[in-house]
Amino acid sequence: LTSKHSWLSRLIVCLSAVAAASALLVACGGDDESGGGGGGSQEKAASPSKCGLGNGKAARGNAIKVGAVITNGAGVDFSSATDAAAAFFKCVNANGGINGRPVQYTVENDELNPEKAGQVASKLVQQRKVDAIVASTSFVDCPVNASLYEKNGYNIIYGVGVPEQCFKSPAFTATNEGPQLSGVGAAQYAVETLGAKKLVGLAPNLPGIGTYTNDGIKAYADEAGVEFKGFINDIPLKDPQSVAVQAAQAAGSDGAVVMVMPVPEDIAVMKAAESSGVADTTKWTCATPCNDLGFPKAVGSFWDGKIFTNSELALTDSKGADNQLWLKVMDQHAGSKDPRDNFSQAGFLAAKIFTDTVLDLKPGELTKENISAAIAKVKNYKTDLLCKPWYWPPKGADHYPNNADRTVVLKGEKQVEAEKGGCFDVSFPNADALRKLEQGQGLNTG
Amino acid sequence: MPDIKPFLVTGLALGGVYALSGVGIVVLYRITGVLNFAFGAIGAMGALIAWSLVNDAGMATWPALLIAVAFGGFASLFYGVVGGPVLGGRDELVKATGTLGYALVLLGIMFWIWSDDPRTLDFPLTRYGFFVGEVRVTATQLVSIGLAVLLTGLTTVYLRRARLGTAMRALANDSEITGMLGVPVRRVEAAAWLGSGLVCGACGVLLAVQVRLEAAALTFLVISSFAAALIGRLRSLWATLVGGLVIGLVESVLTPFSSVSQYRTITPFVVAIGVLLWLGRRRTVAVARGA
C-alpha cells in the first residue's frame, strides 16, 4: 500500500455495506554480468537495453494480439509477471511498437481453477485468435492447455513456469528455471558450500510439482553421495510447527532443509521453526519463492545469515542494463503497488525477448506462424537478468535454457548475494546430456 | 518406531487452537442456531487489521491486538444485528449459508486490501517459553490451551448462573416461547453474536501467530474446528474442548509416520465421523434395549 492509511479507508467503506448485503442476499434467495541488453532472434551482438525500437514515437498501425494466462486467486497471485510484461508492452507501444504496430496485450486469469484455465485458453486461442502468448504464469495452465497450444502451433515464452509440464511440453519455454532446478540449486549450495551431509526436501502436494521437485533433489543427493529424505505436504499448511520439527529432526545438525514451497508456506515453517527452538539445530535453504521483497520483513532479523535462497534471476537491485530498464519501465508504466520481484523480472524478460525477436519480422509478416517460427530460432539471447544467455531449445531437448543460478542470503532486511556466491551450473537430472547438446549446438554460451 | 514426543507438544498446541475455535462456534450455535462459517474470516480480518496498525500506523502491539479482538466482536455483532432479524425465521441451512456469504465477502475485501503479500504477526508472548525435550513450548501455545479451557469453564458457569446466560439457554431451547415470556430475544442474540465475535477475534490472532497471517488460510483453517464442534454434537462445550485437543494430537502425532503422514490433514473429519458413528451406535443400542 502506498498510503499508510489507505487500507483503513477502504475497510470502513466496505464494512458499511458488506454484512447487510450478504444477509439480504440469502434472505431473498547481484552478481551482474556486464552489459546485457538487447539480443533478439537468432544470435546477435548485445545492443543497448531499450523498449523495442526505442524511437519515442507512438505506434499507430494494426495491433498485434498477444495474450497470457495467469493465476490470481485462492491466495495465489502471480500477476506480477504479466503486470511487468504489460508495462513493457506499453513502453514498446510508446516507442514505435513492433515496426509500427502496437501490441494489444490481453491477460486472462485462471483463478487456480483447471476448468477456468481451459476456458480462458480457448478464449485466447479460438475466439480471440491471438498472434502470440507471452509471459503466462500459472499453476494450472501448462498441464491443462499444453496440447491446445501445441495443436495450434504456439511457441510460448513463458513467464514463470511451475508444474513439470511447463518444462516438458514443446509449446513452452520459460525464462525461469522452475521448482526442480531451483530446489536442486538450493540443495547444491547446502552441500557444496554449507557442507551439508543430509538433505531434507519440503515440497507442496500439488500435481506436477511435489514429486517433480523432490525427485530432482534426490537425484542430485544420490550423485553427491549424501542422504535425502523428501516430504510432501498439503498446502496451506495447517500445522507448520510439526512440519518444521519433522524437517529439522530429519536433517540434523550436519544436514540442511531445502524448502521448495510457495513463500507463505516457507515463512510459516520458518516462523514455526524459530518459535519451537529447532531453527538453529540444522541449516535452512529455500528455492526462489523466498526471494520475495516482503520475505525479509516477514521472517525477521532472527534469520539474518541463516536462510540461503536460490535466485533464478538477477538480484532485484542489480545494476545490469536490463535490470535497470525493468525498474525504469515499472516506474513509468506499471502501478506503484505492482511488486518489483523475481516474478516481475521474469515476465518483463519474456516480453522483452518476444519483442526483440519479432522486431526482425516486417509489419506484414507478423502472423502467428511467423512469430512462432521466429521464436523457435532464438539462440543465445544475452541478458544480465540471467546467468547465461537464453535460447529456444532444439526439438527433443529439455526446455531448461535457464539452468544456472546464484544464491542470496538474508542480511539486515535485505537479500544479498551469498558469500562464495556467483552463478553456478545446476546439477539437475539429465543436466549432462543437455549441456553436451548445448555445447554441440553452441547454445547457452556467450 | 519414530520419536513422537515432540509431536505430542506440537499436537497440543494445534489442538488448543481447534478447541478454542470449536468452543466459540458451539456457543453461538447453541444460542442463535447459526453455524457461523464466517468465524475464520472475521478472525483473519481482525488479525490483518492488527498487522496494519502495528506496521503501517506504528501502534504498539498490545493495543493493536486488543483492537483485533474488538473488531471480531464488532464484525460479528454487525452481521448478527443486520442478518439476525432478516434470517431469524429461516431454517438452519439458510442461516449457515448466510454466514458463508459473509465469509466470502470478507475474504474478497481482505484480498483487495492486503493482497497475499507475506506477513507475520508478532505476539509478545511467543518470546517466552521452555523446552520439553527438543521442542520449545511457547507462552502463546499455553495461552491457546488455557484460553480454551477458561472459555469453556466460564461459558458453562455463565450459562447456568447469570441472568443473561439463563435467557440464552432458554432461547436455545425455544426462541418463540422465550420471546412470549418477555425475554428480549434480539438483545440476547446480539449479546451472543458479540461474545462469539470476541472469541473469533482472539482465535484469529492466535491462529495468525501460530499458523500464518494469510486471509484464505485463516478463513478455511477453522473448518477443522467444526469437526471438534461436531464431536461435541454442537451442544457440549467440554466435549468440543476435548475433541479439539484429541484432533490436534492425532493429526500431529501422525506426522513422523511416513506411510500416513501425507494424509494426516483429513484427521479432523475422520475423527468426527468415527465419533458420530460411535455415538449413533450407542443410541441405536439404547433404543433397541428400550424396545
Side-chain angles (χ1 to χ4, degrees), chain A residues 27 234 241-242 265 275 298, chain B residues 90 120 136 141 212 224 252 265:
Chain A
D234 287 338
Q241 197 182 14
S242 299
E265 314 304 326
S275 67
Chain B
R90 309 298 292 266
T120 49
R136 184 169 169 266
Q141 291 164 339
R212 79 183 57 206
S224 299
S252 196
T265 49

Side-chain angles (χ1 to χ4, degrees), chain B residues 66-255:
Chain B
L66 285 176
I67 289 174
V69 175
F71 171 82
F74 165 75
S76 176
L77 178 65
F78 187 50
Y79 182 81
V81 169
V82 175
V86 179
L87 298 172
R90 309 298 292 266
D91 67 40
E92 290 184 358
L93 183 64
V94 175
K95 287 181 185 173
T97 310
T99 64
L100 192 58
Y102 189 42
L104 294 175
V105 172
L106 290 178
L107 190 60
I109 293 171
M110 285 187 275
F111 280 139
W112 182 47
I113 297 175
W114 288 280
S115 73
D116 66 342
D117 293 343
R119 295 179 181 85
T120 49
L121 187 62
D122 277 331
F123 193 55
L125 289 181
T126 307
R127 291 181 211 130
Y128 305 100
F130 56 90
F131 276 85
V132 175
E134 297 164 11
V135 180
R136 184 169 169 266
V137 179
T138 66
T140 308
Q141 291 164 339
L142 293 179
V143 165
S144 294
I145 299 169
L147 197 59
V149 174
L150 190 70
L151 181 71
T152 306
L154 283 179
T155 308
T156 306
V157 171
Y158 187 80
L159 289 175
R160 280 188 190 156
R161 301 281 168 85
R163 202 169 171 177
L164 183 59
T166 306
M168 285 176 172
R169 280 196 297 137
L171 203 61
N173 285 337
D174 194 316
S175 61
E176 275 187 33
I177 290 176
T178 308
M180 286 166 69
L181 290 172
V183 173
V185 173
R186 296 286 171 240
R187 268 171 43 200
V188 175
E189 280 186 346
W193 278 101
L194 176 66
S196 166
L198 293 172
V199 178
C200 278
C203 282
V205 167
L206 290 169
L207 283 166
V209 171
Q210 294 180 78
V211 182
R212 79 183 57 206
L213 179 56
E214 199 250 310
L218 285 177
T219 298
F220 297 112
L221 183 72
V222 85
I223 297 292
S224 299
S225 304
F226 281 99
L230 282 176
I231 289 171
R233 308 194 79 166
L234 294 168
R235 281 203 309 266
S236 167
L237 296 177
W238 289 105
T240 303
L241 174 76
V242 173
L245 291 172
V246 168
I247 288 170
L249 273 172
V250 172
E251 190 170 340
S252 196
V253 164
L254 291 178
T255 307

Side-chain angles (χ1 to χ4, degrees), chain A residues 172-368:
Chain A
F172 312 108
T173 304
T175 53
N176 74 321
E177 293 183 335
Q180 188 183 70
L181 269 66
S182 189
V184 172
Q188 259 179 275
Y189 192 82
V191 171
E192 292 165 19
T193 307
L194 303 177
K197 304 276 186 294
K198 274 187 234 166
L199 292 171
V200 170
L202 289 184
N205 188 15
L206 292 172
I209 300 175
T211 310
Y212 166 61
T213 302
N214 275 351
D215 284 354
I217 302 174
K218 184 181 184 311
Y220 166 72
D222 289 346
E223 195 182 293
V226 299
E227 282 180 46
F228 173 77
K229 178 88 184 157
F231 298 111
I232 293 176
N233 292 293
D234 287 338
I235 62 165
L237 296 172
K238 284 199 306 181
D239 54 348
Q241 197 182 14
S242 299
V243 173
V245 169
Q246 183 188 35
Q249 261 190 354
S253 57
D254 60 348
V257 178
V258 183
M259 296 182 291
V260 194
M261 299 182 288
V263 70
E265 314 304 326
D266 298 322
I267 291 170
V269 169
M270 289 167 69
K271 292 303 281 184
E274 179 188 342
S275 67
S276 56
V278 299
D280 289 324
T281 63
T282 190
K283 297 175 186 72
W284 297 82
T285 64
C286 190
T288 287
C290 288
N291 200 7
D292 180 283
L293 290 184
F295 178 81
K297 196 173 175 190
V299 296
S301 58
F302 172 87
W303 287 93
D304 258 24
K306 296 177 185 173
I307 177 72
F308 298 88
T309 298
N310 185 264
S311 183
E312 299 171 38
L313 286 103
L315 273 70
T316 51
D317 60 353
S318 77
K319 303 293 178 217
D322 283 354
N323 196 62
Q324 288 299 308
L325 177 65
W326 163 64
L327 290 169
K328 192 175 153 191
V329 164
M330 292 301 288
D331 286 346
Q332 290 178 351
H333 299 281
S336 58
K337 285 194 283 183
D338 294 340
R340 274 69 167 161
D341 56 12
N342 265 182
F343 289 176
S344 174
Q345 287 175 310
F348 165 86
L349 181 57
K352 189 170 186 303
I353 294 171
F354 168 80
T355 302
D356 291 344
T357 301
V358 297
L359 275 172
D360 284 353
L361 299 174
K362 291 174 187 158
E365 294 174 347
L366 289 164
T367 61
K368 179 183 78 179

